[in-house]
Amino acid sequence: MTSSMPWRPNVPGDYRGPRIALIHGFMAGVHMQWHLLRFLREHGFADTTLYSNHLRPASIAKDLAPAAQAGRPIVLLGYSQGGIQVMKVAKLLEAQQVKCDLVISLAAGGVGRWHPAQWGFNGRRVPANVSRYLNYFAANDKLGTDRRKADNLAYATSDNTRLENIAYSEAAGVDHLSIARCYPAERVLPEVKALFLDRLLNELAELSS
């Protein structure tokens, strides 16, 4: 049952796949557990851990260090408040000269940026240690998207970062929950499947090869 799926996996010592850190948003732990955590584990990415947005970014960065030292790919994926927190983790890893192979933010704006924990932090500035950054936002998402499209756009601080800002149009019907929905398949919006879920699996497959 997904409700009993542990947030921290028990991974064999010889596992060489990506080390994936998911960070959920405010009161969104169960939603991310039922969807993205389950989705990634079921697609063979065993070393996927779900973290709370309330956990100190330094603790998450420290947790990722052994995998980075072993030369394994590091992946950060955050939803809502977690989409801002992944930037904080990436920035801390930059100070430790640790590369982040893939960083993804989902709905990391809107009212989420009003939270005191985000005051004074620029969640749109992508650190130079990030190799690939995908930033998703949706016109229909009133919680995680800023009113002005320009305010949702992330920017890279290094020419070596491959960055994409991916906007779901109003016609796509993507809201704050469906932007991270994986199950059941018939309720996953076509745009989310094509632009996010299929893309995510392709990106991870490249890192695993």
Side-chain angles (χ1 to χ4, degrees):
M1 296 291 292
T2 56
S3 59
S4 63
M5 181 175 288
W7 286 19
R8 182 178 293 275
N10 184 11
V11 182
D14 60 350
Y15 184 79
R16 300 299 300 169
R19 174 72 168 87
I20 304 174
L22 303 178
I23 307 180
H24 71 69
F26 181 67
M27 297 182 67
V30 172
H31 184 67
M32 208 161 181
Q33 177 192 27
W34 285 356
H35 292 277
L36 282 166
L37 181 63
R38 173 186 169 190
F39 180 80
L40 289 169
R41 296 246 187 100
E42 288 186 352
H43 280 84
F45 299 100
D47 199 358
T48 301
T49 302
L50 177 58
Y51 298 93
S52 168
N53 68 294
H54 295 300
L55 186 63
R56 293 176 61 248
S59 297
I60 301 175
K62 182 178 180 180
D63 211 23
L64 300 174
Q69 292 166 1
R72 291 172 52 200
I74 299 299
V75 176
L76 308 175
L77 197 167
Y79 166 54
S80 195
Q81 285 280 321
I84 303 174
Q85 295 298 92
V86 292
M87 284 298 195
K88 295 181 180 180
V89 175
K91 187 174 177 63
L92 289 170
L93 292 174
E94 179 186 33
Q96 301 169 27
Q97 298 184 324
V98 172
K99 180 177 72 169
C100 296
D101 297 271
L102 176 65
V103 179
I104 299 175
S105 292
L106 302 173
V111 298
R113 296 211 282 174
W114 300 353
H115 193 285
Q118 312 307 347
W119 293 352
F121 179 75
N122 185 353
R124 303 303 188 194
R125 180 183 183 277
V126 183
N129 62 323
V130 176
S131 298
R132 189 155 197 57
Y133 180 68
L134 304 177
N135 175 41
Y136 291 86
F137 56 96
N140 273 356
D141 178 9
K142 305 308 180 186
L143 291 176
T145 298
D146 292 303
R147 290 184 178 182
R148 290 198 320 141
K149 183 176 180 179
D151 292 338
N152 295 286
L153 303 179
Y155 63 93
T157 58
S158 168
D159 291 338
N160 296 322
T161 299
R162 295 178 295 164
L163 182 150
E164 291 181 52
N165 291 295
I166 302 167
Y168 294 110
S169 68
E170 188 171 354
V174 179
D175 60 21
H176 198 63
L177 291 178
S178 61
I179 200 170
R181 180 177 290 129
C182 307
Y183 302 97
E186 60 270 20
R187 290 193 62 200
V188 177
L189 296 175
E191 290 82 357
V192 171
K193 182 181 186 303
L195 297 180
F196 173 49
L197 296 179
D198 290 349
R199 177 72 179 276
L200 173 60
L201 294 179
N202 288 335
E203 294 286 346
L204 293 175
E206 286 187 18
L207 292 178
S208 303
S209 61

Coordinates of all heavy atoms in Angstrom, one line a residue, residues 86-158:
V86 N 14.5 23.1 -2.8 CA 15.6 22.4 -3.6 C 16.7 23.3 -4.0 O 17.8 23.0 -4.1 CB 15.0 21.6 -4.8 CG1 14.2 20.4 -4.4 CG2 14.3 22.5 -5.8
M87 N 16.3 24.6 -4.2 CA 17.3 25.6 -4.6 C 18.2 25.9 -3.4 O 19.4 26.1 -3.6 CB 16.6 26.9 -5.0 CG 16.0 26.8 -6.4 SD 17.3 26.6 -7.7 CE 16.4 27.0 -9.1
K88 N 17.7 25.9 -2.2 CA 18.5 26.1 -1.1 C 19.5 24.9 -0.9 O 20.7 25.1 -0.6 CB 17.7 26.2 0.2 CG 16.8 27.4 0.2 CD 16.0 27.5 1.5 CE 15.1 28.8 1.5 NZ 14.3 28.9 2.7
V89 N 19.0 23.7 -1.1 CA 19.9 22.5 -1.0 C 21.0 22.6 -2.1 O 22.2 22.4 -1.8 CB 19.1 21.2 -1.2 CG1 20.0 20.0 -1.2 CG2 18.1 21.1 0.0
A90 N 20.6 22.9 -3.3 CA 21.6 23.0 -4.4 C 22.6 24.1 -4.1 O 23.8 23.9 -4.4 CB 20.8 23.4 -5.7
K91 N 22.2 25.2 -3.5 CA 23.2 26.3 -3.2 C 24.2 25.8 -2.1 O 25.4 26.1 -2.2 CB 22.4 27.5 -2.7 CG 23.3 28.7 -2.5 CD 22.4 29.9 -2.1 CE 23.2 31.2 -1.9 NZ 24.0 31.6 -3.0
L92 N 23.7 25.0 -1.1 CA 24.6 24.5 -0.1 C 25.6 23.5 -0.7 O 26.7 23.4 -0.4 CB 23.8 23.8 1.0 CG 23.0 24.8 1.9 CD1 22.0 24.0 2.8 CD2 23.9 25.6 2.8
L93 N 25.1 22.7 -1.7 CA 25.9 21.7 -2.3 C 27.0 22.4 -3.2 O 28.1 22.0 -3.4 CB 25.1 20.7 -3.2 CG 24.2 19.8 -2.3 CD1 23.4 18.9 -3.3 CD2 25.1 18.8 -1.5
E94 N 26.6 23.6 -3.8 CA 27.5 24.4 -4.6 C 28.7 24.8 -3.7 O 29.9 24.7 -4.1 CB 26.8 25.6 -5.1 CG 27.8 26.5 -6.0 CD 27.1 27.8 -6.4 OE1 26.2 28.3 -5.6 OE2 27.4 28.3 -7.5
A95 N 28.4 25.2 -2.5 CA 29.5 25.6 -1.6 C 30.4 24.4 -1.2 O 31.6 24.6 -0.9 CB 28.9 26.2 -0.3
Q96 N 29.9 23.2 -1.3 CA 30.7 22.0 -1.1 C 31.3 21.4 -2.4 O 31.9 20.3 -2.3 CB 29.8 21.0 -0.4 CG 29.2 21.4 0.9 CD 28.2 20.5 1.4 OE1 28.2 19.3 1.2 NE2 27.2 21.0 2.2
Q97 N 31.1 22.1 -3.5 CA 31.6 21.7 -4.8 C 31.0 20.4 -5.2 O 31.7 19.5 -5.8 CB 33.2 21.7 -4.8 CG 33.8 23.0 -4.5 CD 35.3 23.0 -4.6 OE1 36.0 22.0 -4.3 NE2 35.9 24.1 -5.1
V98 N 29.8 20.2 -4.9 CA 29.0 19.0 -5.3 C 28.1 19.4 -6.5 O 27.3 20.3 -6.4 CB 28.2 18.4 -4.1 CG1 27.3 17.3 -4.6 CG2 29.1 18.0 -3.0
K99 N 28.2 18.6 -7.5 CA 27.4 18.9 -8.7 C 26.0 18.3 -8.5 O 25.8 17.2 -8.0 CB 28.0 18.2 -10.0 CG 27.2 18.4 -11.2 CD 27.9 17.8 -12.5 CE 27.8 16.3 -12.5 NZ 28.3 15.7 -13.7
C100 N 24.9 19.0 -8.9 CA 23.6 18.5 -9.0 C 23.3 18.2 -10.5 O 23.2 19.2 -11.3 CB 22.6 19.6 -8.4 SG 22.8 19.9 -6.7
D101 N 23.1 17.0 -10.8 CA 22.9 16.6 -12.2 C 21.6 17.0 -12.7 O 21.4 17.4 -13.9 CB 23.1 15.1 -12.3 CG 24.5 14.6 -11.9 OD1 25.3 14.6 -12.8 OD2 24.7 14.3 -10.7
L102 N 20.5 17.0 -11.9 CA 19.2 17.4 -12.3 C 18.4 18.0 -11.2 O 18.4 17.4 -10.1 CB 18.4 16.1 -12.9 CG 17.0 16.3 -13.3 CD1 16.8 17.3 -14.5 CD2 16.3 15.0 -13.6
V103 N 17.9 19.1 -11.4 CA 17.0 19.8 -10.4 C 15.7 20.2 -11.0 O 15.7 20.7 -12.1 CB 17.7 21.0 -9.7 CG1 16.8 21.7 -8.7 CG2 19.0 20.7 -9.1
I104 N 14.6 19.9 -10.4 CA 13.3 20.2 -10.9 C 12.4 20.8 -9.8 O 12.4 20.4 -8.7 CB 12.6 18.9 -11.4 CG1 13.3 18.2 -12.5 CG2 11.1 19.2 -11.8 CD1 12.8 16.9 -12.9
S105 N 11.8 21.9 -10.2 CA 10.8 22.6 -9.3 C 9.5 22.6 -10.0 O 9.3 22.8 -11.1 CB 11.2 24.1 -9.1 OG 12.4 24.2 -8.3
L106 N 8.5 22.2 -9.1 CA 7.1 22.2 -9.6 C 6.3 23.2 -8.7 O 6.3 23.1 -7.5 CB 6.4 20.8 -9.3 CG 7.1 19.6 -10.0 CD1 6.4 18.3 -9.5 CD2 6.9 19.7 -11.5
A107 N 5.7 24.2 -9.4 CA 4.8 25.1 -8.7 C 5.5 25.8 -7.5 O 4.9 25.9 -6.4 CB 3.5 24.4 -8.2
A108 N 6.7 26.3 -7.8 CA 7.5 26.9 -6.7 C 7.4 28.4 -6.6 O 8.4 29.1 -6.6 CB 9.0 26.5 -6.9
G109 N 6.1 28.9 -6.6 CA 5.9 30.3 -6.5 C 4.6 30.7 -5.9 O 4.2 30.0 -5.0
G110 N 4.0 31.7 -6.3 CA 2.6 32.1 -5.8 C 2.7 32.4 -4.3 O 3.6 33.0 -3.8
V111 N 1.6 31.9 -3.6 CA 1.5 32.2 -2.2 C 2.6 31.5 -1.4 O 2.9 31.9 -0.3 CB 0.1 31.8 -1.7 CG1 -0.9 32.6 -2.3 CG2 -0.1 30.3 -1.8
G112 N 3.2 30.5 -2.0 CA 4.3 29.8 -1.3 C 5.5 30.7 -1.0 O 6.2 30.5 0.0
R113 N 5.7 31.7 -1.8 CA 6.8 32.6 -1.6 C 6.5 33.6 -0.4 O 7.4 34.4 0.0 CB 7.1 33.3 -2.8 CG 7.6 32.4 -3.9 CD 8.6 33.0 -4.9 NE 8.0 33.9 -5.8 CZ 8.7 34.6 -6.7 NH1 10.0 34.6 -6.6 NH2 8.1 35.4 -7.6
W114 N 5.2 33.6 0.1 CA 4.9 34.5 1.2 C 5.3 33.8 2.5 O 5.3 34.5 3.6 CB 3.4 34.7 1.2 CG 2.8 35.4 0.0 CD1 3.5 35.9 -1.1 CD2 1.5 35.6 -0.3 NE1 2.7 36.4 -2.0 CE2 1.4 36.3 -1.5 CE3 0.3 35.3 0.4 CZ2 0.2 36.6 -2.1 CZ3 -0.9 35.7 -0.2 CH2 -1.0 36.4 -1.4
H115 N 5.6 32.6 2.5 CA 6.0 31.9 3.8 C 7.3 32.5 4.3 O 8.2 32.8 3.6 CB 6.3 30.4 3.5 CG 6.3 29.5 4.7 ND1 7.5 29.5 5.5 CD2 5.5 28.6 5.2 CE1 7.3 28.7 6.5 NE2 6.1 28.1 6.4
P116 N 7.3 32.8 5.6 CA 8.5 33.4 6.2 C 9.8 32.7 5.9 O 10.8 33.4 5.8 CB 8.2 33.4 7.7 CG 6.7 33.4 7.8 CD 6.2 32.6 6.6
A117 N 9.7 31.4 5.8 CA 11.0 30.6 5.5 C 11.6 31.0 4.2 O 12.8 30.8 3.9 CB 10.7 29.2 5.5
Q118 N 10.8 31.7 3.3 CA 11.3 32.0 1.9 C 11.7 33.5 1.8 O 12.2 33.9 0.8 CB 10.3 31.6 0.9 CG 9.7 30.2 1.0 CD 10.7 29.1 1.1 OE1 11.9 29.3 0.8 NE2 10.3 27.9 1.5
W119 N 11.4 34.3 2.8 CA 11.7 35.7 2.8 C 13.2 35.9 2.6 O 14.0 35.3 3.2 CB 11.2 36.4 4.0 CG 9.7 36.4 4.2 CD1 8.8 36.0 3.3 CD2 9.0 36.9 5.3 NE1 7.5 36.1 3.8 CE2 7.6 36.7 5.0 CE3 9.3 37.4 6.6 CZ2 6.6 37.0 5.9 CZ3 8.3 37.8 7.5 CH2 7.0 37.5 7.2
G120 N 13.5 36.8 1.6 CA 14.9 37.1 1.4 C 15.7 36.1 0.6 O 16.9 36.3 0.4
F121 N 15.0 35.0 0.1 CA 15.7 34.0 -0.7 C 15.2 34.1 -2.1 O 14.0 34.1 -2.3 CB 15.6 32.6 -0.1 CG 16.2 31.6 -0.9 CD1 17.6 31.4 -0.9 CD2 15.5 30.7 -1.8 CE1 18.3 30.5 -1.6 CE2 16.2 29.8 -2.5 CZ 17.5 29.6 -2.5
N122 N 16.1 34.1 -3.1 CA 15.7 34.2 -4.5 C 15.7 32.7 -5.0 O 16.7 32.1 -5.4 CB 16.7 35.0 -5.3 CG 16.3 35.1 -6.7 OD1 15.4 34.5 -7.2 ND2 17.1 36.0 -7.5
G123 N 14.5 32.2 -5.1 CA 14.3 30.8 -5.5 C 14.3 30.7 -7.0 O 14.2 29.6 -7.5
R124 N 14.5 31.8 -7.7 CA 14.6 31.7 -9.2 C 16.0 31.7 -9.7 O 16.3 31.5 -10.9 CB 13.8 32.9 -9.8 CG 12.4 33.1 -9.4 CD 11.6 31.8 -9.7 NE 10.1 32.1 -9.5 CZ 9.3 31.1 -9.5 NH1 9.7 29.8 -9.6 NH2 8.0 31.3 -9.3
R125 N 17.0 31.9 -8.8 CA 18.4 32.0 -9.2 C 19.0 30.6 -9.1 O 19.0 30.0 -8.0 CB 19.1 32.9 -8.3 CG 20.6 33.1 -8.6 CD 21.3 34.0 -7.6 NE 22.7 34.2 -7.9 CZ 23.6 33.4 -7.5 NH1 23.4 32.3 -6.9 NH2 24.9 33.7 -7.9
V126 N 19.4 30.0 -10.2 CA 19.9 28.6 -10.3 C 21.4 28.6 -10.0 O 22.1 29.2 -10.8 CB 19.5 28.0 -11.6 CG1 20.0 26.5 -11.6 CG2 18.0 28.0 -11.9
P127 N 21.9 27.9 -9.0 CA 23.3 27.9 -8.7 C 24.1 27.3 -9.9 O 23.6 26.5 -10.7 CB 23.4 27.0 -7.5 CG 22.1 27.1 -6.8 CD 21.1 27.2 -8.0
A128 N 25.4 27.6 -10.0 CA 26.2 27.2 -11.1 C 26.5 25.7 -11.1 O 27.0 25.1 -12.1 CB 27.5 28.0 -11.1
N129 N 26.3 25.0 -9.9 CA 26.6 23.6 -9.9 C 25.5 22.7 -10.4 O 25.6 21.5 -10.5 CB 26.9 23.2 -8.4 CG 25.7 23.4 -7.5 OD1 25.0 24.3 -7.6 ND2 25.5 22.5 -6.6
V130 N 24.4 23.3 -10.9 CA 23.3 22.6 -11.4 C 23.5 22.4 -12.9 O 23.6 23.3 -13.7 CB 21.9 23.3 -11.2 CG1 20.8 22.6 -11.8 CG2 21.7 23.5 -9.7
S131 N 23.5 21.1 -13.3 CA 23.8 20.8 -14.7 C 22.5 21.0 -15.6 O 22.6 21.6 -16.7 CB 24.2 19.4 -14.9 OG 25.5 19.2 -14.2
R132 N 21.3 20.6 -15.0 CA 20.1 20.7 -15.8 C 19.0 21.1 -14.8 O 18.9 20.5 -13.7 CB 19.7 19.4 -16.4 CG 18.5 19.5 -17.4 CD 18.6 18.4 -18.4 NE 17.8 18.5 -19.6 CZ 17.8 19.5 -20.5 NH1 18.6 20.5 -20.3 NH2 17.1 19.4 -21.6
Y133 N 18.2 22.1 -15.2 CA 17.2 22.6 -14.3 C 15.9 22.7 -15.1 O 15.9 23.4 -16.2 CB 17.5 24.0 -13.7 CG 16.4 24.5 -12.8 CD1 16.1 23.9 -11.6 CD2 15.7 25.6 -13.2 CE1 15.1 24.4 -10.8 CE2 14.7 26.1 -12.3 CZ 14.4 25.5 -11.2 OH 13.4 26.0 -10.4
L134 N 14.8 22.2 -14.6 CA 13.5 22.2 -15.2 C 12.5 22.9 -14.2 O 12.4 22.4 -13.1 CB 13.0 20.8 -15.6 CG 13.9 20.0 -16.5 CD1 13.3 18.6 -16.7 CD2 14.1 20.7 -17.8
N135 N 11.9 24.0 -14.7 CA 11.0 24.8 -13.8 C 9.6 24.8 -14.4 O 9.4 25.3 -15.4 CB 11.6 26.2 -13.7 CG 10.7 27.1 -13.0 OD1 10.1 26.8 -11.9 ND2 10.5 28.3 -13.5
Y136 N 8.7 24.1 -13.7 CA 7.3 23.9 -14.1 C 6.4 24.9 -13.4 O 6.4 24.9 -12.1 CB 6.8 22.5 -13.9 CG 7.5 21.5 -14.8 CD1 8.7 20.9 -14.5 CD2 6.9 21.1 -16.0 CE1 9.3 20.0 -15.3 CE2 7.5 20.2 -16.9 CZ 8.7 19.6 -16.5 OH 9.3 18.7 -17.3
F137 N 5.5 25.5 -14.1 CA 4.4 26.3 -13.5 C 3.2 26.3 -14.4 O 3.3 26.0 -15.6 CB 4.9 27.7 -13.2 CG 5.4 28.5 -14.3 CD1 4.6 29.4 -15.0 CD2 6.7 28.4 -14.8 CE1 5.1 30.1 -16.1 CE2 7.2 29.1 -15.8 CZ 6.4 30.0 -16.5
A138 N 2.0 26.6 -13.8 CA 0.8 26.5 -14.6 C -0.1 27.7 -14.4 O -0.3 28.2 -13.3 CB 0.1 25.2 -14.1
A139 N -0.7 28.2 -15.5 CA -1.6 29.3 -15.4 C -2.8 29.1 -14.5 O -3.3 30.1 -13.9 CB -2.0 29.7 -16.8
N140 N -3.2 27.9 -14.4 CA -4.4 27.6 -13.6 C -4.1 27.4 -12.1 O -5.0 27.1 -11.3 CB -5.2 26.4 -14.1 CG -6.2 26.7 -15.2 OD1 -6.3 27.9 -15.5 ND2 -6.8 25.7 -15.8
D141 N -2.8 27.4 -11.8 CA -2.4 27.1 -10.4 C -2.3 28.4 -9.6 O -1.3 29.1 -9.7 CB -1.1 26.4 -10.4 CG -0.5 26.1 -9.0 OD1 -1.2 26.3 -8.0 OD2 0.7 25.7 -8.9
K142 N -3.3 28.7 -8.8 CA -3.3 30.0 -8.1 C -2.5 29.9 -6.8 O -2.2 31.0 -6.3 CB -4.8 30.3 -7.7 CG -5.8 30.4 -8.9 CD -5.3 31.2 -10.1 CE -6.2 31.2 -11.2 NZ -5.7 32.0 -12.4
L143 N -2.1 28.7 -6.4 CA -1.3 28.6 -5.2 C 0.2 28.7 -5.5 O 1.0 29.3 -4.7 CB -1.6 27.3 -4.5 CG -3.0 27.2 -3.8 CD1 -3.2 25.8 -3.2 CD2 -3.2 28.3 -2.7
G144 N 0.6 28.0 -6.6 CA 2.1 27.9 -6.8 C 2.6 28.6 -8.0 O 3.8 28.4 -8.4
T145 N 1.8 29.6 -8.6 CA 2.3 30.3 -9.7 C 2.0 31.8 -9.5 O 1.0 32.2 -9.0 CB 1.5 29.9 -11.0 OG1 1.8 28.5 -11.2 CG2 1.9 30.7 -12.2
D146 N 3.0 32.6 -9.8 CA 2.9 34.1 -9.7 C 2.0 34.6 -10.8 O 2.0 34.1 -11.9 CB 4.3 34.7 -9.7 CG 5.1 34.4 -8.5 OD1 4.7 34.6 -7.4 OD2 6.2 33.8 -8.7
R147 N 1.3 35.7 -10.5 CA 0.4 36.3 -11.5 C 1.1 36.7 -12.8 O 0.6 36.5 -13.9 CB -0.3 37.5 -10.9 CG -1.3 37.1 -9.8 CD -2.1 38.3 -9.3 NE -3.1 37.9 -8.3 CZ -3.9 38.8 -7.7 NH1 -3.8 40.1 -8.0 NH2 -4.8 38.4 -6.8
R148 N 2.2 37.4 -12.6 CA 3.0 37.8 -13.8 C 3.9 36.7 -14.3 O 4.6 36.1 -13.5 CB 3.8 39.0 -13.5 CG 3.1 40.3 -13.3 CD 4.0 41.5 -13.4 NE 5.3 41.3 -12.9 CZ 6.5 41.7 -13.4 NH1 6.4 42.4 -14.6 NH2 7.6 41.5 -12.8
K149 N 3.7 36.3 -15.6 CA 4.5 35.2 -16.1 C 6.0 35.4 -15.8 O 6.7 34.4 -15.5 CB 4.2 34.9 -17.6 CG 5.0 33.7 -18.1 CD 4.6 33.5 -19.6 CE 5.4 32.3 -20.1 NZ 5.0 32.0 -21.5
A150 N 6.5 36.6 -16.0 CA 7.9 36.9 -15.9 C 8.4 36.5 -14.5 O 9.6 36.2 -14.3 CB 8.2 38.3 -16.2
D151 N 7.6 36.6 -13.5 CA 8.0 36.4 -12.1 C 8.2 34.9 -11.8 O 8.8 34.5 -10.8 CB 7.0 36.9 -11.1 CG 6.9 38.4 -11.1 OD1 7.9 39.0 -11.5 OD2 5.8 39.0 -10.7
N152 N 7.7 34.0 -12.7 CA 7.9 32.6 -12.6 C 9.1 32.1 -13.2 O 9.5 30.9 -13.0 CB 6.7 31.9 -13.2 CG 5.4 32.2 -12.5 OD1 5.1 31.7 -11.4 ND2 4.5 33.0 -13.1
L153 N 9.8 32.9 -14.0 CA 10.9 32.4 -14.8 C 12.2 32.3 -14.0 O 12.6 33.3 -13.4 CB 11.1 33.3 -16.0 CG 9.9 33.5 -16.9 CD1 10.3 34.4 -18.1 CD2 9.4 32.1 -17.4
A154 N 12.8 31.2 -14.0 CA 14.1 31.0 -13.4 C 15.2 31.4 -14.3 O 15.0 31.5 -15.5 CB 14.3 29.5 -13.0
Y155 N 16.4 31.7 -13.8 CA 17.5 32.1 -14.6 C 18.8 31.4 -14.1 O 19.0 31.2 -12.9 CB 17.7 33.6 -14.7 CG 18.0 34.3 -13.4 CD1 19.3 34.5 -13.0 CD2 17.0 34.7 -12.5 CE1 19.6 35.1 -11.8 CE2 17.3 35.3 -11.3 CZ 18.6 35.5 -10.9 OH 18.8 36.1 -9.7
A156 N 19.7 31.1 -15.0 CA 20.9 30.4 -14.6 C 22.0 31.4 -14.4 O 22.1 32.5 -14.9 CB 21.4 29.5 -15.8
T157 N 22.9 31.0 -13.5 CA 24.1 31.9 -13.2 C 25.3 31.4 -13.9 O 26.4 32.0 -13.8 CB 24.4 31.9 -11.7 OG1 24.6 30.6 -11.2 CG2 23.2 32.5 -10.9
S158 N 25.2 30.3 -14.6 CA 26.3 29.7 -15.4 C 25.9 29.3 -16.8 O 24.8 28.8 -16.9 CB 26.9 28.5 -14.7 OG 27.8 27.8 -15.5

